């Protein structure tokens, strides 16, 4: 282990310049700490970056819609003064139906479904609002005598209690259910049920019949509730522009950011984190190290099992972190012509999830190491609202595609081409003539996502968001409050509570933990 030189020392090193690392750095710098962000990639943003994928065509290469970041975080960091602009806000969600007319979700329903939809959305919004404090706070520790933990638990209980008896009972009833049963109870229209279930399984290793999918849906709704309007937004310049604004907020507060600076190891001295060694061999000392890399990477690769007890290492090894979401990017020389779509809908979010059964079938393949024969998709055409992302007249199509298992039976080297063709065929079935306008393509499988964004397993949430990897046990017991078993080492990425999505809460809460615990 190299000895740390005193010449290069900061209060806090943040590993990773994804959005959570940047939020964390900005908050720490504002709190008076000297902060150094070390990002392995040449650009900032992690899984929320904008980059070129075909000559002249830019895309949000991971996340492509912003809808979860709390409004108070955006305003606290003053991102509008740091260059953040909107290409579009309040985007509609439209369900594409094979052989039928597309419909904006929630509109054009039968009288019975329309009435049920009003009741359902109002109830789910009430539940989501009650869950906001759970989502946005550092989870309390279980079984301690500390008043802060007891108070925090009491507050959470009170938040649920405030719902009143009927809602409380209903929340308890549905909380552990699967979204399939919930939607079957409420609606008739297969297409509506498919569209609503999509949000419960997006980014997960679940189908609608998997236990815990009401939880994942409520989680998303709670984050949208904290975001204010819950509206889907598209930053001008893609998600990378949001991260550039976060980086400006961090540097304006005094943080230093270095890209192309991969961390090879976390240095331990006197039983605490004391700095890092870069892959270049450079050693940098710090009183606190905060990692936004996923938990497996942080603990097993950067720190090393020998600094942790065996039980903790076993829990980290068992984190389920294999992604099932792929990303397809198409460079087009003209706008795609989706049948029956108006210009407003084309600029919004398009879903291919025609029924609960369809989604469940699509998921079934993934259980056996196969990609879905008829995948489900979230499609955007960001250039409708932000033409500068493509050459004049050109367009970008960005689609999240499920299910594409990390471990494909035949391997992605052999399976990639057929899967890409399958996805393009499916999109073309809604947008005839699409193929003839394609001038460039890129498919990111979970294995590509792992490599490009350095996320072990290529998972959207850095680790499955499920009951056993959730809230007070996320990512694992012993590291659920952003602190880790090693003094001076903290976590701030999507692997922590409240999980993935471009949300920033993990970064903010980790900074608060460092600042209040006086570790630096
Ligand atoms: C295909 C896909 C589509 C998605 N779509 C959406 C969406 O539309 N909307 C949404 O809200 N969310 C979406 N998500 C989820 C969202 O992108 C992620 O959950 C979120 O970006 C994670 O942010 P983070 O800052 O916690 O981690 P990351 O973005 O993963 O950042 C971690 C950073 O750490 C760096 N790093 C790792 N190891 C090292 C090292 N050793 N040294 C230095 N740096 C290191 C990485 O390079 C990376 O930049 C999507 C995810 C995927 C995969």
């Amino acid at each position: 282990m190299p000895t740390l030189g005193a010449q290069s020392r900061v209060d806090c090193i943040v590993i990773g310049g994804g959005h959570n690392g940047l939020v964390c750095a900005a908050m720490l710098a504002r709190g008076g700490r000297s902060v150094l962000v070390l990002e392995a990639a040449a650009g900032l943003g992690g899984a929320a970056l904008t980059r070129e994928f075909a000559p002249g065509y830019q895309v949000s290469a991971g996340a492509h819609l912003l809808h979860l970041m709390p409004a108070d975080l955006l305003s606290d960091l003053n991102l509008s003064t740091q260059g953040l602009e909107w290409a579009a806000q309040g985007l509609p969600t439209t369900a594409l139906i094979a052989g039928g007319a597309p419909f904006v979700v929630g509109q054009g329903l039968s009288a019975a479904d329309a009435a049920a939809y009003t009741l359902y959305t109002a109830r789910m919004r009430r539940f989501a609002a009650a869950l906001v404090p759970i989502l946005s706070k550092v989870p309390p520790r279980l079984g301690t005598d500390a008043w802060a933990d007891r108070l925090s638990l009491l507050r959470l209980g009170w938040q649920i209690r405030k719902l009143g008896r009927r809602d409380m009972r209903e929340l308890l009833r549905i909380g552990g259910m699967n979204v399939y049963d919930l939607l079957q109870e409420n609606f008739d229209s297969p297409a509506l049920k498919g569209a609503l279930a999509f949000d419960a399984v997006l980014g997960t290793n679940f189908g609608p019949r998997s236990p815990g999918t009401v939880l994942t849906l409520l989680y998303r709704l709670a984050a949208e509730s904290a975001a204010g309007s819950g509206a889907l937004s598209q930053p001008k310049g893609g998600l990378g522009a949001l991260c550039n604004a976060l980086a400006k907020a961090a540097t304006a507060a005094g943080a230093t950011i270095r890209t192309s600076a991969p961390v090879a190891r976390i240095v331990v001295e006197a039983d605490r984190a004391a700095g890092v060694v870069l892959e270049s061999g450079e050693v940098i000392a710090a009183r606190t190290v905060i990692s936004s890399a996923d938990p497996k990477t942080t603990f097993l690769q950067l720190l090393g099992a020998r600094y942790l007890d065996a039980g903790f290492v076993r829990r980290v090894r068992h984190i389920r972190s294999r992604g099932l979401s792929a990303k397809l990017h198409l460079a087009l020389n003209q706008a795609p012509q989706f049948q029956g779509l108006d210009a407003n809908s084309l600029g919004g979010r398009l879903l291919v999830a025609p029924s609960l059964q369809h989604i469940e079938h699509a998921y079934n393949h993934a259980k056996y190491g196969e990609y879905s024969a008829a995948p489900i998709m979230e499609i955007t055409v960001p250039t409708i609202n932000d033409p500068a992302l493509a050459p004049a007249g050109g367009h970008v199509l960005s689609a999240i595609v499920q299910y594409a298992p990390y471990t494909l039976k035949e391997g992605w080297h052999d399976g990639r081409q057929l899967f890409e063709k399958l996805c393009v065929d499916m999109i073309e079935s809604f947008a005839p003539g699409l193929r003839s306008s394609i001038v460039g393509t890129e498919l990111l499988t979970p294995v590509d996502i792992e490599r490009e964004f350095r996320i072990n397993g290529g998972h959207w949430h850095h680790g499955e968001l499920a009951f056993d990897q959730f809230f007070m046990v996320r990512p694992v017991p012993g590291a659920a409050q952003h602190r880790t078993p090693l003094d001076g080492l903290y976590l701030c990425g999507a692997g922590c509570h409240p999980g993935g999505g471009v949300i920033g809460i993990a970064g903010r809460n980790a900074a608060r933990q460092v600042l209040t615990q006086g570790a630096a």
Side-chain angles (χ1 to χ4, degrees):
M1 179 63 65
T3 317
L4 294 164
Q7 68 280 12
S8 156
R9 172 180 284 276
V10 288
D11 290 333
C12 302
I13 285 175
V14 177
I15 302 176
H19 82 284
N20 270 318
L22 293 168
V23 167
C24 186
M27 305 268 307
L28 288 170
R30 283 169 160 216
R33 304 296 191 265
S34 59
V35 182
L36 174 63
V37 178
L38 297 167
E39 168 54 49
L44 294 170
L49 93 167
T50 308
R51 61 153 171 74
E52 195 174 65
F53 72 101
Y57 289 83
Q58 305 273 328
V59 72
S60 296
H64 59 185
L65 286 169
L66 185 71
H67 55 116
L68 305 174
M69 192 167 268
D72 60 346
L73 180 56
L74 283 167
S75 60
D76 278 0
L77 292 176
N78 247 328
L79 295 189
S80 54
T81 63
Q82 305 296 348
L84 179 66
E85 292 179 62
W86 301 108
Q89 288 182 289
L91 297 171
T93 295
T94 304
L96 302 176
I97 306 297
F103 70 96
V104 174
V105 175
Q107 295 179 11
L109 303 172
S110 69
D113 271 351
Y117 186 75
T118 306
L119 287 175
Y120 169 87
T121 46
R123 196 169 57 230
M124 293 300 270
R125 279 194 195 127
R126 286 198 303 276
F127 294 165
L131 295 174
V132 168
I134 294 178
L135 183 99
S136 48
K137 294 258 170 14
V138 175
R141 290 170 300 168
L142 284 173
T144 73
D145 291 334
W147 275 107
D149 292 319
R150 289 179 177 178
L151 215 60
S152 172
L153 273 170
L154 275 174
R155 278 206 198 100
L156 298 181
W158 174 238
Q159 201 61 30
I160 305 293
R161 175 70 186 81
K162 269 197 323 192
L163 280 170
R165 199 158 83 182
R166 247 173 82 187
D167 269 359
M168 232 175 7
R169 214 159 40 197
E170 181 61 2
L171 180 58
L172 284 177
R173 187 182 76 83
I174 69 167
M177 269 171 80
N178 66 55
V179 76
Y180 182 100
D181 290 340
L182 178 70
L183 295 171
Q184 288 289 53
E185 275 184 5
N186 281 276
F187 303 109
D188 293 328
S189 158
L192 176 66
K193 287 185 276 193
L196 294 175
F198 184 88
D199 286 347
V201 300
L202 182 62
T204 71
N205 194 337
F206 294 141
R209 282 193 158 120
S210 307
T213 35
V214 171
L215 173 82
T216 46
L217 181 60
L218 283 171
Y219 232 58
R220 176 182 170 118
L221 295 175
E224 287 184 344
S225 172
S229 62
L232 296 159
S233 306
Q234 194 188 322
K236 198 171 181 181
L239 270 285
L242 169 83
C243 291
N244 290 341
L246 288 172
K248 280 191 189 158
T251 48
T256 302
I257 298 175
R258 285 173 59 181
T259 52
S260 303
V263 171
R265 261 175 313 126
I266 293 165
V267 177
V268 179
E269 272 188 7
D271 291 332
R272 59 170 292 134
V276 300
V277 187
L278 300 188
E279 281 181 10
S280 64
E282 185 184 350
V283 182
I284 307 169
R287 293 184 64 193
T288 307
V289 176
I290 308 108
S291 174
S292 69
D294 66 87
K296 281 186 176 166
T297 300
T298 301
F299 290 119
L300 305 180
Q301 190 184 316
L302 301 181
L303 180 60
R306 70 180 189 279
Y307 295 109
L308 298 161
D309 78 45
F312 186 86
V313 170
R314 189 172 38 78
R315 291 198 290 273
V316 172
R317 286 211 169 104
H318 288 165
I319 293 173
R320 295 190 309 288
S321 59
R322 295 227 158 140
L324 271 92
S325 306
K327 192 84 190 297
L328 176 71
H329 304 140
L330 302 180
L332 308 173
N333 60 17
Q334 61 176 38
Q337 307 292 318
F338 281 88
Q339 283 172 328
L341 270 197
D342 58 28
N344 184 41
S345 298
L346 184 58
R349 177 169 88 128
L350 309 177
L351 297 185
V352 181
S355 69
L356 291 168
Q357 280 75 9
H358 180 107
I359 306 176
E360 194 65 35
H361 278 305
Y363 177 52
N364 281 345
H365 293 272
K367 293 179 198 160
Y368 305 104
E370 297 159 12
Y371 51 69
S372 309
I376 57 169
M377 296 188 191
E378 176 182 270
I379 301 171
T380 63
V381 186
T383 36
I384 297 291
N385 306 312
D386 195 357
L389 294 171
H395 281 273
V396 170
L397 186 147
S398 164
I400 300 169
V401 184
Q402 284 184 193
Y403 296 86
Y406 176 90
T407 314
L408 188 68
K409 224 190 256 172
E410 65 270 40
W412 278 109
H413 180 267
D414 292 339
R416 164 186 301 276
Q417 227 176 344
L418 274 180
F419 184 59
E420 188 178 303
K421 179 177 179 312
L422 188 98
C423 294
V424 174
D425 284 349
M426 179 167 245
I427 302 171
E428 190 169 40
S429 71
F430 298 104
L434 177 83
R435 198 174 282 282
S436 62
S437 62
I438 298 175
V439 295
T441 61
E442 177 182 56
L443 176 71
L444 299 178
T445 69
V447 174
D448 302 313
I449 289 167
E450 174 179 69
R451 193 187 49 247
E452 174 166 356
F453 305 124
R454 292 187 175 231
I455 300 172
N456 185 299
H459 198 290
W460 178 299
H461 292 283
H462 286 194
E464 198 59 58
L465 196 61
F467 272 120
D468 62 322
Q469 299 187 169
F470 157 77
F471 195 42
M472 288 180 267
V473 291
R474 182 170 182 85
V476 289
Q481 286 79 30
H482 302 278
R483 286 194 298 180
T484 72
L486 183 72
D487 278 349
L489 176 63
Y490 290 72
L491 297 177
C492 73
C496 307
H497 173 76
V502 182
I503 176 166
I505 290 177
R508 176 167 72 179
N509 284 347
R512 284 179 177 161
Q513 288 289 71
V514 172
L515 291 169
T516 56
Q517 288 168 10

